[in-house]
Amino acid sequence: MKLLRWGTAGAERPGMLAPDGSIRNLGGVLTDLSGAALSPESLARLAALDPATLPVVAPGTRLGPPVAGTGKVICIGLNYADHAEEAGMAVPPEPVIFLKASSAISGPDDPVELPSGAEKLDWEVELAFVIGTRAKYVEEADAMAHVAGYMLANDVSERAFQTERSGQWTKGKSHDTFFPCGPWLVTRDEIADPQALALGASVNGAVMQAGTTATMVYGVRFLVSYLSRFMTLEPGDIVTTGTPPGVGMGMKPPRFLQPGDVVALTGEGLGTQSQRVVPA
């Protein structure tokens, strides 16, 4: 099942993708895709619906972030050995954790802003997962039961802010529009193995990233358990799991985004995104 949110920014409504490719309005069934709506019981009720009985949303309608009410966006850094190598950093002995402000969340095809004073705007295609039920001190064997589903995400980064301005990475990760996600939330049952998905990114049509989640250092199951020992994971929280090689800062010479550039992302079973870079 592919769940989504559609409509103008800040006023999105819940929906689902029907088998015929049309978007169907779930507004008569639930208020939004947040909190308890992401529980296994709620998702089972939605899966039992016949999409053909739901109103059709007009083609071309904007898609927003697939999940509402996100309290935390938790990011895992250097989680692909080949990406750590291109960044000139060692594979960490434990997951690198940093936070991205929830105000950075945007729709899959919304513009990405080049912040005032930015010098090194970069792209990162990633697999993200969404928590469906509260997780605290979870064992790996039980971890996947807490995952509602998966999304494609772009962990947009301003590298000068991130690494050259002192302090934590968060300042280079949290500008408005720095977390396009979607186009939909793919429920856990539709992804047989989250560690076997192809991911790709291009800039202005030129392929930059072509990787697979098989080369992740720390997989989804481990991350749910690990993170739940440091913070309680609540329904709607998003964890984005790192990027394969091919980001701008790893190129020789480095290549960073400018206004007018278009970044396109793909994820196996997860859909596609496209963002044009605009001045903030």
Side-chain angles (χ1 to χ4, degrees):
M1 183 168 55
K2 296 178 175 67
L3 301 172
L4 51 89
R5 297 170 68 246
W6 57 274
T8 58
E12 293 93 346
R13 301 177 184 179
M16 69 165 52
L17 187 72
D20 63 2
S22 64
I23 295 173
R24 300 294 174 137
N25 185 354
L26 284 172
V29 179
L30 74 166
T31 303
D32 211 341
L33 288 166
S34 62
L38 300 170
S39 70
E41 296 77 15
S42 173
L43 296 180
R45 287 193 295 271
L46 295 178
L49 297 173
D50 179 0
T53 65
L54 301 171
V56 177
V57 176
T61 298
R62 171 188 174 271
L63 296 183
V67 176
T70 295
K72 298 187 288 295
V73 180
I74 306 164
C75 308
I76 308 300
L78 302 174
N79 198 27
Y80 287 70
D82 37 10
H83 172 57
E85 182 179 358
E86 75 170 349
M89 300 180 186
V91 173
E94 292 189 35
V96 172
I97 302 170
F98 61 95
L99 298 178
K100 197 184 253 299
S102 58
S103 55
I105 297 172
S106 58
D109 300 318
D110 291 345
V112 163
E113 294 182 357
L114 179 71
S116 175
E119 302 172 359
K120 299 179 179 180
L121 189 67
D122 208 346
W123 60 87
E124 293 190 18
V125 63
E126 304 201 0
L127 169 69
F129 62 87
V130 177
I131 298 298
T133 58
R134 189 174 187 268
K136 183 173 183 177
Y137 299 120
V138 171
E139 298 298 326
E140 280 192 58
D142 304 318
M144 298 307 286
H146 295 274
V147 175
Y150 304 94
M151 302 188 298
L152 185 64
N154 188 354
D155 178 17
V156 181
S157 308
E158 209 297 336
R159 302 301 188 184
F161 294 177
Q162 177 187 355
T163 62
E164 300 171 21
R165 297 283 294 271
S166 176
Q168 301 291 324
W169 286 3
T170 298
K171 67 175 69 173
K173 298 282 189 171
S174 293
H175 193 274
D176 294 350
T177 75
F178 271 25
F179 194 61
C181 55
W184 36 68
L185 173 68
V186 183
T187 51
R188 191 179 74 243
D189 59 292
E190 288 205 5
I191 301 294
D193 184 359
Q195 308 309 145
L197 302 177
L199 299 174
S202 66
V203 178
N204 300 332
V207 174
M208 300 296 176
Q209 293 183 273
T212 169
T213 58
T215 63
M216 268 189 202
V217 179
Y218 302 106
V220 172
R221 182 182 297 275
F222 176 86
L223 288 173
V224 174
S225 177
Y226 182 83
L227 291 170
S228 76
R229 280 153 173 73
F230 297 95
M231 64 193 84
T232 300
L233 304 177
E234 300 286 357
D237 284 351
I238 299 170
V239 180
T240 190
T241 59
T243 195
V247 300
M249 73 171 182
M251 296 182 175
K252 301 186 185 332
R255 195 267 198 236
F256 297 112
L257 297 169
Q258 302 297 326
D261 286 343
V262 176
V263 181
L265 277 62
T266 62
E268 185 178 353
L270 303 173
T272 62
Q273 298 183 3
S274 179
Q275 300 110 28
R276 182 175 296 275
V277 178
V278 299

